[in-house]
Amino acid sequence: MKVYYSEAHRKHEPPFEVFDGGLRTPYMENPDRMDRILSALQQTDWAEVVEPKDFGLDPIYAVHDKEYLDFLASSWTEWLASEAKDKSTLLPATFALRRHPQKPSSLLGRAGYYMMDLSACIVEGTYAAALASANCALSAAEAGANGEQSVFALCRPPGHHAGRDYAGGYCFINNAAVAANWLSLQGTVALLDVDYHCGNGTQDIFYERDDVLTISIHADPNFEYPYYAGYANETGAGAGRGFHKNIPLKKGTDNARYLVALEEALSLIRGFAPKYLVISTGMDIYAEDPLGTIKVTTEGIGEIGKRISALALPAVIVMEGGYNNEVLGRNIVKFLTPFV
Ligand code: SP5
Ligand code: ZN
């Protein structure tokens, strides 16, 4: 299996994020995650790690707002030129409400406009890392379109919380959405998100489209991040009505109950009969994940991979979250093995 991976992620290493209550915490979404996954993949006899190709900005502009991408590109330089006392990471403390916000020109004003929380921290290497991560997803999509049955985009930073014009939840460019949109030029796409958190950015991007079916299985946003999207009554709008599905899960959801939710998603995908499948793959569903509350085991993760692979669709598997670094490699190998 081809694994698209770039070293460019390493310079995206924010010194901290801010948890509930204002707690400064070491950045959970750290470069070590990739080292753990790479070393596990290197112990298999099927993973072929390759560099992504550069697709330029057009396929990213097709999904994201130009001024938002300009903000990602220039904000670090502007931050260094600003009068902030602690410049270790760009993080605003005021956020735009989405009703009818005005767009200020000041850096912190724009940061609060384009960020949804205190974990999408920007540092010097963030934009370059986000572009390389999107190129991994695009390279995997291209390989899928060229006939590879299953391809893995080992993306970092992740993408599924990033919407058309906002960053959040460690995500800046929505890698899976960029790949799905690129593939949608060649045929219909189903995008299945099995990260523990709702893929709110993906939901927003495709909400009014009927050519990309989006499904997210995740912890109920009534108690879990991202809180404001991911409810069962959000099913798409306009032409996209009926082409989005959220499946919220209770705390403590175990393998058996997770697999019931998965079967519901898989039967929708079978009914849609897409040409391509994109999978937003987060390992924070694992029972011992520090950000998770559900109880899927490594065996369960293997079964999830097996059932999705049984769709027998060309599959572009995109890395999202997963923060128990000790077992991240083992879990990813378990998930991917049925696709080999
Ligand atoms: C890609 C991805 O998985 N992003 C997840 C971002 C979640 N950030 C929310 C942090 C909320 C911290 N709550 C702390 C609970 C620790 N038990
Ligand atoms: Zn997650």
Side-chain angles (χ1 to χ4, degrees), residues 5-12 125-126 128-133 156-157:
Y5 168 77
S6 165
E7 284 285 314
H9 74 86
R10 287 196 195 283
K11 290 217 288 180
H12 171 60
T126 300
L131 287 177
S133 191
R156 178 177 183 274

Side-chain angles (χ1 to χ4, degrees), residues 29-165:
E29 199 288 288
N30 47 50
D32 179 57
R33 298 176 61 244
M34 297 295 106
D35 292 329
R36 303 299 188 124
I37 294 171
L38 282 169
S39 79
L41 288 171
Q42 274 149 11
Q43 282 163 40
T44 72
D45 58 7
W46 47 260
E48 181 198 347
V49 179
V50 279
E51 287 266 333
K53 159 183 145 183
D54 185 359
F55 284 73
L57 288 172
D58 284 346
I60 301 172
Y61 287 145
V63 163
H64 289 286
D65 177 75
K66 165 101 172 44
E67 286 184 40
Y68 167 64
L69 290 169
D70 290 347
F71 163 76
L72 291 181
S74 68
S75 54
W76 182 254
T77 308
E78 292 179 59
W79 183 233
L80 291 185
S82 76
E83 289 176 355
K85 282 204 189 74
D86 180 349
K87 295 183 188 168
S88 57
T89 185
L90 167 57
L91 210 52
T94 307
F95 297 92
L97 292 175
R98 289 284 145 179
R99 285 189 282 274
H100 299 287
Q102 303 270 326
K103 198 183 292 174
S105 62
S106 68
L107 174 64
L108 281 166
R110 279 179 294 142
Y113 186 91
Y114 290 126
M115 291 176 178
M116 61 180 271
D117 59 37
L118 296 170
S119 61
C121 309
I122 290 177
V123 294
E124 183 175 8
T126 300
Y127 185 57
L131 287 177
S133 191
N135 278 315
C136 288
L138 282 163
S139 298
E142 185 179 66
N146 288 341
E148 297 272 341
Q149 185 61 19
S150 308
V151 197
F152 184 40
L154 181 47
C155 293
R156 178 177 183 274
H160 75 149
H161 296 304
R164 203 181 66 83
D165 64 351

Side-chain angles (χ1 to χ4, degrees), residues 16-29:
F16 61 84
E17 63 187 293
V18 180
F19 267 10
D20 316 295
L23 192 70
R24 272 195 186 197
T25 311
Y27 205 65
M28 300 285 283
E29 199 288 288

Side-chain angles (χ1 to χ4, degrees), residues 19-20 119 158 160-161 169-171 195 197 225 284 290-291 321 323:
F19 267 10
D20 316 295
S119 61
H160 75 149
H161 296 304
Y170 315 138
C171 303
D195 186 276
H197 303 95
Y225 180 93
D284 36 13
L291 289 187
Y323 309 99

Side-chain angles (χ1 to χ4, degrees), residues 189-230:
V189 181
L191 197 166
L192 174 62
D193 189 323
V194 297
D195 186 276
Y196 167 76
H197 303 95
C198 166
N200 61 285
T202 307
Q203 172 175 330
D204 285 353
I205 287 163
F206 296 110
Y207 208 62
E208 297 190 17
R209 286 175 59 171
D210 61 3
D211 59 332
V212 179
L213 171 71
T214 49
I215 305 176
S216 182
I217 306 172
H218 48 254
D220 191 335
N222 194 44
F223 73 83
E224 183 58 272
Y225 180 93
Y227 297 116
Y228 312 107

